[in-house]
Amino acid sequence: MIYEGTTGMNVGAPTTARLRDVLNRAERVVIAEASPDGVESADVARIVVSGAEIADLAQLLALVDGGAGDRCRCNGWPTIMVHDVTGELIACWTLHHQSGLRGIGDCDADLQDGPALTEWLAERGLTGSREVQAALAVQDAEEEGRRLRWLQAAPTGLHDEAVEVSNPPGRDLGAWSDRLREAEARLATLVQHGYPDEIERIRVLLAWSGISARESTSGLKWYDMAIQRLLLAEDPDLVIAALATGSPSPVQLDGATQLFSSFDWTGTYGKDLPEPLRSMLIGHIQADGTDPMRFRMRHGYYGADRSA
């Protein structure tokens, strides 16, 4: 494994000037499609950059000076190894998410034009970054589609605050977390004022919560959890009563399956549900439940027989 700290450049803010000073002393640059601990493997794709192409690479590696202030938790790849005229390794950098660089300062730094570097590498046979970017674009589109469907389902009067709650995390997770808590508090106030009747409010929240139950991407997002926390703040007896009042819609029952199998609910109230809610919920799952709903039912949630 190549240790980036041996070059002595892991101190101070990353800047384009520092990076170009290193590349000005380079005789060759080896770029390998692996993290630093895998570059020695014989089957790793790599290229060697020399001569005028080093100047081209320096342009493509231009940074947003000052850095991002933190470091990605992953090892990063490709690995960029800079050698001087004697063959000595004078720098080892890694790309992170094909949009940032590590190893030229005390934190990661965003590239000024990550896509341009990705295409330059692909033209020289290192297509891994482009393939990752394409996959990430598909993933981002799916995540955004899910978020927009959740927003579309927001109850009357709550859309604007729901936008704030669903805003994706930024690089500064601490600041984002603070903003999320504030947005959730405002949303809770709006829900209370907009839906003062407890039973109506719970049914509205259950329907909103149920939107995520049939998404193809697994797990609850932070905005789904915000609605679940609103439901958990309600009187549990009223939650049960809300589902016993009238005929709950399929999406309300979907929301109930998630609420009643959450750790916060089962840890306080257990897995059993009273009749006839238990039978109604199990019937809903047996007739039209998702695989996760059926899995939870088979493992004793909702008070179901484990053999069901």
Side-chain angles (χ1 to χ4, degrees):
M1 178 177 179
I2 297 171
Y3 175 55
E4 64 185 59
T6 58
T7 63
M9 288 185 296
N10 57 351
V11 177
T15 66
T16 299
R18 292 184 66 183
L19 180 142
R20 289 181 178 168
D21 178 66
V22 175
L23 290 176
N24 285 339
R25 295 184 280 121
E27 188 273 335
R28 63 186 172 92
V29 179
V30 180
I31 305 177
E33 282 199 323
S35 58
D37 56 358
V39 296
E40 304 300 337
S41 177
D43 60 353
V44 169
R46 69 190 69 230
I47 60 173
V48 178
V49 181
S50 60
E53 279 199 319
I54 293 179
D56 295 337
L57 180 61
Q59 292 290 330
L60 293 163
L61 289 175
L63 305 174
V64 177
D65 287 348
D70 61 3
R71 291 163 63 95
C72 176
R73 293 185 179 183
C74 66
N75 289 328
W77 67 276
T79 299
I80 303 171
M81 295 162 283
V82 185
H83 299 263
D84 66 11
V85 293
T86 69
E88 180 183 354
L89 178 70
I90 58 174
C92 177
W93 306 325
T94 53
L95 290 177
H96 286 256
H97 309 288
Q98 285 63 53
S99 62
L101 189 73
R102 173 178 300 169
I104 196 66
D106 57 7
C107 62
D108 297 344
D110 291 332
L111 296 171
Q112 291 185 16
D113 193 348
L117 176 62
T118 294
E119 289 307 309
W120 187 87
L121 291 171
E123 289 168 1
R124 288 155 180 78
L126 299 186
T127 59
S129 291
R130 186 165 66 184
E131 291 163 3
V132 167
Q133 287 292 342
L136 288 174
V138 171
Q139 180 179 315
D140 288 346
E142 291 174 348
E143 292 292 334
E144 180 63 6
R146 173 172 176 164
R147 189 182 76 90
L148 291 176
R149 286 188 291 275
W150 182 84
L151 285 174
Q152 188 176 19
T156 302
L158 303 181
H159 181 272
D160 289 348
E161 208 56 55
V163 170
E164 294 299 316
V165 169
S166 69
N167 279 335
R171 184 179 290 275
D172 188 341
L173 292 178
W176 172 78
S177 180
D178 290 341
R179 288 194 298 271
L180 178 60
R181 283 195 296 270
E182 292 169 1
E184 280 193 35
R186 292 193 298 269
L187 181 63
T189 299
L190 288 176
V191 168
Q192 291 286 333
H193 290 169
Y195 300 89
D197 181 82
E198 293 95 336
I199 297 297
E200 179 191 11
R201 181 170 65 244
I202 291 168
R203 288 170 69 92
V204 164
L205 291 174
L206 284 169
W208 196 7
S209 175
I211 293 298
S212 63
R214 296 180 183 271
E215 291 287 353
S216 58
T217 52
S218 62
L220 297 182
K221 304 300 181 182
W222 66 92
Y223 46 85
D224 298 319
M225 293 297 296
I227 306 310
Q228 190 167 100
R229 282 189 285 271
L230 291 177
L231 283 165
L232 288 164
E234 298 287 347
D235 184 327
D237 292 333
L238 288 178
V239 173
I240 301 297
L243 287 161
T245 301
S247 298
S249 67
V251 71
Q252 287 171 336
L253 292 174
D254 284 348
T257 65
Q258 296 198 129
L259 175 65
F260 295 144
S261 61
S262 68
F263 176 79
D264 288 310
W265 180 278
T266 61
T268 303
Y269 309 115
K271 295 181 179 180
D272 292 337
L273 294 173
E275 294 289 0
L277 176 58
R278 170 189 173 279
S279 295
M280 178 172 60
L281 207 59
I282 291 174
H284 170 71
I285 295 170
Q286 290 174 333
D288 193 34
T290 64
D291 287 342
M293 292 177 195
R294 295 175 186 276
F295 175 85
R296 292 191 294 265
M297 182 180 69
R298 288 195 300 269
H299 284 76
Y301 290 90
Y302 324 119
D305 185 338
R306 290 177 184 267
S307 64

